[in-house]
Amino acid sequence: MRQHSAFKVVGLHLAVIVLFFLAQFVLPEYHHLAVTRVMILAIFALGYNLLFGYTGLLSLGHALFFAAGLYGAGLTAFHLGWSVPAAFAAGVGAGFFASLVIGVVALRTSGVAFMIVTMMFSQVAYLASLYFTTYTRGEEGLVMPEAARHFDLFGVTFSLTDPSLRYNIALLLLAVTLIVILIVVRGPMGRVLIAIRENEPRTLMLGYNTFLIKLKAFVISGTISSVAGAAYALLFAYVGSSFASIQYSIEALLFTLLGGAGTVLGPILGTFAMFYLIDIVSGFTVAYLLVTGIALIALVLFFPKGILGTIRERWMTWLP
């Protein structure tokens, strides 16, 4: 039974990746770009979900890690002329370092205090991006030069101005992130994370170092978020302070809640649903946020654990 369940889980996630791959051949130009953008934001939501959905830690500061990747990649490419691979590595490294340092501090708190501490760290990063306008240009942001949109790899020149290349890079990053998340949540660490979420004192009593395990989850979550930020800067050639604002932390939370916190595919579904709900409704009315709010209220009433979370509870208990 367990092997059959594992086969269904692997098959479902492979099917999702294949579906995204095939979609690029039929999507019109606008949706081709939109899906590329949504896949990057879905990576951000996947990282957030590992901390919130599986570990039970509500962070309001994850925009900081997205921004760390964004600025780590964007500033090195813009000011130092680093190649795309090197700039991307710098962005991910910045996110890893930031999540490690902040995790050590923030995880000494819990509950509302943890939420406030993470939000304050994020606000410091946002204000810093506004203060150092000489380098960041604040809200106006930086537009990547043409030279930062081309790179050589194994003797082949690639251009990030090519929509197909951007789409497939985003898909590759999404696929790798899915694999990492699956390995974590379906392995021993994932079981301990869920135990911490449900009852941390009992998990501590069983002999687990809950602080260290939560720190690992925090670092993995922050690093994945920085992958999304670095990819966004390089694929879409823009870096701006708005990405460091608390709004982006809240968006990651909404994506996760909408799709289903504590499910692997939930954040991806939630990101797509939220993005296209706003995109479609805004074409009919300027009060699109009101309509979006009503839709979210209806969701809470009929799908209290998010779309996939409720589906798993009622019909597909094997979903991870």
Side-chain angles (χ1 to χ4, degrees):
M1 179 66 72
R2 188 171 295 176
Q3 286 183 341
H4 181 61
S5 175
F7 178 77
K8 289 194 291 186
V9 168
V10 173
L12 174 63
H13 290 78
L14 282 177
V16 170
I17 295 170
V18 170
L19 180 63
F20 278 127
F21 177 76
L22 295 177
Q24 66 182 304
F25 301 111
V26 296
L27 288 172
E29 183 178 351
Y30 171 77
H31 293 288
H32 193 280
L33 177 62
V35 172
T36 304
R37 192 181 304 274
V38 172
M39 284 194 289
I40 295 300
L41 294 177
I43 294 171
F44 180 32
L46 282 168
Y48 184 86
N49 182 49
L50 180 66
L51 189 68
F52 172 63
Y54 287 96
T55 316
L57 296 172
L58 174 57
S59 166
L60 287 182
H62 254 55
L64 184 156
F65 307 120
F66 186 90
L70 189 86
Y71 279 107
L75 294 182
T76 52
F78 188 89
H79 292 295
L80 303 179
W82 286 19
S83 67
V84 170
F88 179 78
V92 176
F96 172 82
F97 180 75
S99 58
L100 179 61
V101 172
I102 292 171
V104 169
V105 177
L107 289 171
R108 297 184 185 280
T109 63
S110 61
V112 175
F114 175 82
M115 180 179 68
I116 293 173
V117 168
T118 54
M119 182 177 67
M120 289 300 99
F121 272 114
S122 183
Q123 282 299 100
V124 168
Y126 173 62
L127 294 175
S129 71
L130 294 176
Y131 182 78
F132 294 102
T133 52
T134 304
Y135 305 102
T136 66
R137 294 187 187 169
E139 294 285 358
E140 178 188 351
L142 299 171
V143 177
M144 295 293 103
E146 190 67 22
R149 310 219 65 202
H150 298 81
F151 64 99
D152 294 327
L153 193 63
F154 305 119
V156 181
T157 300
F158 297 93
S159 173
L160 294 180
T161 58
D162 178 11
S164 249
L165 179 63
R166 285 203 306 263
Y167 186 99
N168 284 289
I169 288 175
L171 176 57
L172 175 63
L173 292 174
L174 179 62
V176 170
T177 303
L178 264 180
I179 292 169
V180 170
I181 295 291
L182 272 176
I183 291 173
V184 171
V185 303
R186 290 184 65 82
M189 181 179 172
R191 296 187 186 94
V192 178
L193 291 180
I194 294 172
I196 291 172
R197 181 190 69 192
E198 298 300 321
N199 194 324
E200 184 174 353
R202 181 174 294 178
T203 309
L204 187 64
M205 185 181 66
L206 290 173
Y208 290 101
N209 186 338
T210 57
F211 177 83
L212 182 59
I213 294 168
K214 287 192 295 184
L215 180 60
K216 288 179 181 178
F218 195 94
V219 171
I220 295 172
S221 175
T223 303
I224 289 174
S225 299
S226 71
V227 167
Y232 197 99
L234 296 170
L235 293 181
F236 301 108
Y238 177 74
V239 175
S241 294
S242 59
F243 293 106
S245 67
I246 191 174
Q247 173 190 343
Y248 264 79
S249 294
I250 294 173
E251 284 192 3
L253 173 60
L254 288 177
F255 295 156
T256 302
L257 289 175
L258 179 58
T263 63
V264 176
L265 292 176
I268 300 176
L269 179 60
T271 306
F272 270 85
M274 180 69 75
F275 181 89
Y276 273 102
L277 176 62
I278 293 174
D279 186 64
I280 293 170
V281 174
S282 62
F284 295 96
T285 175
V286 294
Y288 62 90
L289 288 178
L290 174 63
V291 178
T292 303
I294 294 172
L296 289 174
I297 292 172
L299 173 78
V300 170
L301 292 174
F302 296 103
F303 293 88
K305 293 189 175 181
I307 299 171
L308 276 189
T310 304
I311 289 173
R312 178 176 64 183
E313 183 180 54
R314 296 178 182 175
W315 301 292
M316 302 171 68
T317 56
W318 53 270
L319 279 175

